[in-house]
Amino acid sequence: MLGPTRPVPRAGGAVRIIHFGGSSEAGTIVAVEDVGRRLRVRSAGGEVLTFVLNPATARFADPAGAGGPRLELLMS
């Protein structure tokens, strides 16, 4: 039986928050909402950020649009 080809977002999962300009920081998923299309993430600095799944790119990004941080799910 085949499994998912990419990481599935789960509360407690590790992520990398990639900021505009190339810097990044570690984070942890604290909530998965809207059937996995909206994530709340706590950054290493303690800030809670929201990311939404972009249907065109299949990536999680800032809901405000381009120029904001994007999210990379890490395998656990």
Side-chain angles (χ1 to χ4, degrees):
M1 183 184 318
L2 296 175
T5 58
R6 60 176 63 202
V8 175
R10 290 188 170 87
V15 298
R16 180 176 298 125
I17 302 165
I18 304 168
H19 298 283
F20 186 75
S23 67
S24 66
E25 65 180 311
T28 304
I29 299 171
V30 294
V32 178
E33 302 168 346
D34 193 20
V35 193
R37 290 184 283 249
R38 178 178 295 272
L39 304 178
R40 302 231 186 256
V41 173
R42 184 175 311 280
S43 70
E47 183 180 7
V48 176
L49 304 167
T50 300
F51 293 89
V52 295
L53 185 62
N54 180 323
T57 64
R59 293 184 180 261
F60 287 95
D62 187 335
R70 60 185 168 88
L71 200 63
E72 179 182 341
L73 302 176
L74 302 176
M75 299 295 281
S76 37

